[in-house]
Structures are given as C-alpha cells and as structure tokens.
Amino acid sequence: IEVVEGPASALYGANAVNGVINIITKRPDQLQHGTVRATVGERSLGEGAAVFGAREGAFSYKLGTGWRTVNRFEDPDLLASRAVKVHGLAGWDGVEGAAASVSGGLAGVKTQLTTGNNGTVVATGPTGFLRADAEASGVRGRVFWNRSRQVAKELLVLAEPAFDYDVADATIGYGLALPFGNLLDVGGGYRLNAAQSGVFRPGVRRQSLWSVFGEDQCTIRPGVTAVVSGRLDHHPFTGWVASPRGSVIVEPRHGDAIRLSGGRSFRNPTIMQNYLDFTQRFPNPGPLPPNPPFTAIESRLVGNEMLKPERMTMGEAAYTASLGAVRATLVGFAYRLEDVIGTSDPETSVAKAPRTRGAVRGVATTSNAPEAISASGSNAITRRKARVSLSTGTFSRHTRRPTPPARASS
C-alpha cells in the first residue's frame, strides 16, 4: 500500500488534490495458490472473496470473485449496498525485465449514495474494465477501458435517470539512470471521457485529456535526497494546467528524517459540472399567503463549460524521530485551496464569479494532512433558470446563458 501525502497531481494527475492511497494487489506468485475469506455482522453484513493464482514458468494467472452486502444505519431492514464481482489476470515474464499482462473484471452494483440537498439515491447497474500492461528495456505502457451503465433510483427530483460512462486511457513512460545519482522518469498519456444521460445536454458528451510528466530523484550525498516532479495536463475547457512538486529529505541519523516539501495540485471540472442540464419541479403546497398563487415551481440546473480547475498549493515541513520502540512525527503545514466549484444564485446567470480561496495552517503530531478543506463561494459554477407555473397559465422568467468563447471541438 503506497501512501502519498499532500498534493499529488504531479504524480497522478487531476483529482489527486490532497493525497493518494495506491493499493497494489498481490501478484499471482504471491498468492500461494489461493485465499478464501468471509465476514458476517450486524445489519445483515455479509462479505466474502476467493482469489486463486499461480505461476507456471514464465506464465502466471489470477482469478477471483467476491460479494458484499450491508443494510442501512437509519433502517436496518433496508439495503444500503450490494455488490458482486469477478476478475482475472494473465501475465508473462520474459528475459531482461520484459513483461506483459492482460486483466479484466465485471461487477454488479446496487448502492445508496448521497446527493446533498436532494437526499439519497440508489445507483444500480453493471461496471467493468479491461486493461493491458507491457514493459521492456525501461519502457512501460498501459491501456485500459472502464465502462459503467448505472440507473439512479429513489431520486427525489428525477424519474430514474440513466448514466452511461466510458473511459479509455493510454499511458507510456520511460525510466533511466543518469550521472551523479539521478533517476529520471518521463512519459505522457491520453484519456477519452465519454458520457450520456437524460440529465445532460442531448447526445454523447466527450472530452479528450492529454498529459506529459516527469520526475527526477537525485541522491545529493549519503543521507540527502531531492525529488523534483512536474506534470502538464490539458483539458478542452481549462487548457494546460501545471502541477509542480518538490521534496528534500535529510536523514541526520538512522531512523530519523527531516522532510521539506511543496507543490500544487488541481481538480478539473467533471463532465456533469460541464454538461448538466435538467429541470426540477416542486409543487406549491398552497395558493394562500404567504405562498403566491402558483401551482408549481420549476428550477433548471445548467452546467458551465467555462469553469476553472480547483487548485491547491501546499508547503510542509516534517520531522520523524525514532525513540526506541516509539516512532513519532511532527508536521507543520500550510495549504491554500482556490477556485472552489459550487452553485450560483438560482436567479442569476454568471459567466465568472469572484475567486474563492480557503487556507489552513497549523501543526500536527502526525504526518497526515487535513483530508478536506472547506471554503464557501463559487468559481463560475452551474447556472439555474427559474420558472413558475400559474393555475391560469404559465409565467416564465429566464436568464440568458452567455455564449461561451469559440473552442476547438473535442
């Protein structure tokens, strides 16, 4: 299990705003033929999994299946989540570090999710993936395809909308050793996001995302290491975004370490935030004062293609000491979150709202930074259009959506 603290977009791209937990599953030769486990508990908790794998010469395989079910906290008789999955992998290890593998999986999911002010929703449907990896002579490549077909049920404001998502991704990288103790890793990638839903604008919405990245690790002298990394990501609506990160680690003695680090990360707007377009209808409880004589009120939520990415800037200093059997870490940090994406005024169409910032500073006794930073306001967010329906007719009030600047089609 790899834990990267703080902004990690330089390593993992968009959405790695304040840290990453990378769980690396066991290789077939590490399974020792297989494992089986099961768990039961209150609120109808049931969980089980079986994984089998082995290596035969240069070839290896892994097959697994699992299931999980649990009921809700607020009502132990209602289902909260149920999932059944199967997955597999076939691999080949050649000579001089050459290797290749193909893997895939399929899951059927039914789970309760929160939608904020609109209550909860039960998402149900299949998801799956296919992936291929290859490596030879320091060059490594990966392609994968994720597919999801979900239906949102028990939603308060809409009648069971469907959400269809497809993500295709290709990444290539190259690592080499340079003089003076430098280890360099460079590469690039392309991702195609495609989505279609009844709550989006008509048609399949597609976004092409490009990236280039690099990282250099240098051993300046024994006990002193510097790591410098950077990444450029391109989004069709936000353009190029840079994510630098740097760290210096000093080990004054065995078991002790001083770390100084800083960097920037970002989160791009989602396809839903760009292309959302649906109308909520609320019945009027009564025509008498203080309620106006309307039979219903409709509110239309419209996505915004002019959103900027959310950004986080971080600086951190940490000291880790080993005191016999005790290992302690003291951390001082400063984080700033900018351009927070929110929701605009329901009566106003906004092309660009004031920049929002939130900052946190402090001292912690562990190396874990805050998991989330709250900041109010908006970054040119979604726009709403309001309409009221009269008992004797219809009265509409709309705010015209500004025409976005011309952009190349994606």
Side-chain angles (χ1 to χ4, degrees), residues 24-50:
I24 304 171
T25 58
K26 290 183 177 181
R27 300 190 307 270
D29 55 299
Q30 296 174 320
L31 290 173
Q32 298 179 347
H33 297 293
T35 60
V36 177
R37 62 179 177 84
T39 303
V40 295
E42 61 178 351
R43 299 185 184 276
S44 301
L45 171 65
E47 186 176 18

Side-chain angles (χ1 to χ4, degrees), residues 32-163:
Q32 298 179 347
H33 297 293
T35 60
V36 177
R37 62 179 177 84
T39 303
V40 295
E42 61 178 351
R43 299 185 184 276
S44 301
L45 171 65
E47 186 176 18
V51 182
F52 297 88
R55 176 182 296 278
E56 301 292 340
F59 296 92
S60 59
Y61 71 92
K62 181 170 66 172
L63 298 173
T65 185
W67 61 275
R68 186 180 189 275
T69 182
V70 65
N71 285 357
R72 303 179 186 181
F73 284 102
E74 71 276 14
D75 190 337
D77 295 325
L78 295 178
L79 179 70
S81 178
R82 180 174 62 228
V84 180
K85 63 180 181 180
V86 293
H87 57 89
L89 177 145
W92 169 82
D93 292 316
V95 296
E96 299 181 355
S101 65
V102 178
S103 58
L106 183 65
V109 179
K110 182 178 182 180
T111 187
Q112 183 189 36
L113 303 172
T114 180
T115 61
N117 294 334
N118 293 322
T120 60
V121 60
V122 175
T124 180
T127 63
F129 79 95
L130 290 173
R131 171 171 169 167
D133 296 80
E135 183 175 358
S137 303
V139 179
R140 65 188 184 281
R142 181 198 67 194
V143 294
F144 72 79
W145 173 42
N146 287 354
R147 180 180 176 90
S148 176
R149 299 294 183 264
Q150 299 280 307
V151 176
K153 299 184 177 182
E154 301 182 19
L155 191 61
L156 297 179
V157 297
L158 295 168
E160 299 190 357
F163 296 87

